[in-house]
Each structure stands twice: as C-alpha cells, then as structure tokens.
Amino acid sequence: EVQLVESGGGLVQPGGSLRLSCAASGFTFSSYYMNWVRQAPGKGLEWVANIKQDGSEKYYVDSLRGRFIISRDNAKNSLYLQMTSLGAEDTAVYYCARGPDYQFMDVWGQGTTVTVSS
Amino acid sequence: QSVLTQPASASGTPGQRVTISCSGSRSNIGGDYVYWFQHVPGMAPNLLIYRDNQRPSGVPDRFSGSNSGTSASLAISGLRSEDEADYYCAAWDDRLRGLVFGGGTKLTVL
C-alpha cells in the first residue's frame, strides 16, 4: 500500500525553526517528484515546494523562497522541509504529496500540524 | 487572492449534475494541464482529475474535467451525499515557476 506519513509538526515560537519529515512506503520513492502543500486554518490549499527525483531541481512558491528548504534522502525514503523564521502566517497543516511529474500530486499524506504562537 | 479563480460555493440535490469552474490565464491553464482535487476537511486531499480530463483508477466516471483556453471545469453528475467536500483546481504556472491552486469551492449536497 502506498503510504506517506508526515511528522515533526508542533508548537513553535515566532521566529523559530522546525523541520518536517515525510516517510514514504509502498512505492519506489526515488522515481517520483515530491511536494509539500499546506492549508492554513480556514484557508485553501497552498503549494509550498517540490523536488525532483534526484534532488537536482527544486521549486518554491515565491513568498517562501529563502525561508523554507525542501530536501530528500532516497536511501531513507524520506522527504524533509526545513522551515525558518516562522511567523503566525505559517500556522497550517502541512501535507507531503507524491508527484508523478513536477506538475501535480497523486498521493497525499494525512498531514502534520504546525502552530506558530508565543 | 488565488491565482486561479473558483466560485466559493456550489450546491445541488442528489442525482443532479453540478459544474465547478476554474479561471486562470495563459501562463497557467492556458498553457498547461489542469488538475482537480477533492478535500474532505480532516482527511488527505484526493486527486480526482489529472491532465485536464483523465481519471485516476478508483475515481468514478461521474467526475469529468475539461479545459478550454484559460478556463477549466469539473462536472459531477449523479450527485451523491458523499460528494460533499471542498474542490480545488490547480495548474503549473510557467511565469511563477510553481503550482497554483484555486481558492476552493465548497460543494453542498442539499
């Protein structure tokens, strides 16, 4: 069974950092693009970033470039999102999602919640 | 303000056909494929339509998609109570070099 399980969410103070992880199983992880997508409370889905199969190409939403870094470890079947200088606007459920190509996602995880608050 | 524009809400009665629109520009819908996702709050989003009009295995043929120029639409026929969810369109934007979503349409089955 194809599965994506996010972890690493929690409560963080404004200005702090957090690293999210996504453990993949049930498919050949190294054959797919991988994405992070978030949903703030009461808002719609927002694509955050994606990364090519070998990590050689990364795309980010303009508003987050420089603060968030996407990475992957194909040997560990894992995807990561390093988030820095967090603000209240980063409070959201963060989803990990598999991408057959750079344009879309076909399998999503259940999400991990990040709350930025003092 | 989302790059792709969807109506905030839509509704229908069981058995009806409902259409949800998604409007964009030449840099996204007009030049690339459109994707549709169904999202029940609290659950993982689900891919409904890919590459304008293709259905993943397991998605009923009650769901169909189309793309014409800079607009796209999702049609749901034979509406069922379990179709009540939020629906999002998405497309790659060549100018922004990123994936953009519509603001989402909340579908209510009356």
Side-chain angles (χ1 to χ4, degrees):
Chain A
E1 180 194 2
V2 174
Q3 200 168 13
L4 297 169
V5 179
E6 303 91 338
S7 61
L11 177 63
V12 59
Q13 291 196 336
S17 299
L18 207 58
R19 188 197 198 204
L20 304 183
S21 299
C22 171
S25 60
F27 66 99
T28 304
F29 180 74
S30 59
S31 295
Y32 289 84
Y33 269 83
M34 293 298 297
N35 298 261
W36 287 102
V37 178
R38 70 181 184 179
Q39 184 177 35
K43 304 292 186 182
L45 298 175
E46 180 185 32
W47 175 80
V48 172
N50 71 15
I51 183 169
K52 196 175 179 180
Q53 289 91 333
D54 61 359
S56 63
E57 291 181 16
K58 304 174 186 181
Y59 296 100
Y60 296 90
V61 65
D62 278 348
S63 60
L64 297 178
R65 191 174 289 115
R67 286 200 302 122
F68 286 18
I69 297 175
I70 188 172
S71 63
R72 64 191 296 162
D73 185 337
N74 288 343
K76 295 183 177 180
N77 291 338
S78 293
L79 175 72
Y80 307 101
L81 185 67
Q82 179 68 48
M83 306 184 294
T84 59
S85 302
L86 288 164
E89 69 277 11
D90 298 313
T91 293
V93 176
Y94 285 75
Y95 296 99
C96 161
R98 185 181 80 169
D101 64 38
Y102 67 94
Q103 290 196 2
F104 75 109
M105 301 77 76
D106 67 343
V107 176
W108 298 61
Q110 293 291 330
T112 186
T113 301
V114 173
T115 303
V116 184
S117 175
S118 55
Chain B
Q1 192 85 358
S2 301
V3 174
L4 305 181
T5 302
Q6 299 179 233
S9 62
S11 63
T13 56
Q16 267 191 331
R17 183 177 188 269
V18 170
T19 299
I20 298 172
S21 63
C22 175
S23 178
S25 66
R26 286 195 300 175
S27 66
N28 41 67
I29 295 177
D32 259 310
Y33 292 117
V34 175
Y35 303 86
W36 290 91
F37 300 91
Q38 178 191 58
H39 189 206
V40 175
M43 298 184 65
N46 181 46
L47 176 67
L48 276 182
I49 298 288
Y50 67 100
R51 293 174 188 154
D52 292 344
N53 53 24
Q54 302 300 301
R55 279 187 311 276
S57 60
V59 173
D61 59 6
R62 301 187 298 107
F63 295 90
S64 61
S66 64
N67 180 348
S68 56
T70 57
S71 290
S73 63
L74 172 72
I76 309 171
S77 60
L79 200 61
R80 305 171 76 160
S81 58
E82 58 259 39
D83 296 334
E84 195 161 277
D86 298 321
Y87 291 83
Y88 294 88
C89 60
W92 186 262
D93 192 295
D94 290 326
R95 182 177 62 84
L96 297 175
R97 302 299 288 166
L99 188 72
V100 292
F101 280 98
T105 299
K106 183 176 182 60
L107 175 64
T108 301
V109 181
L110 302 169

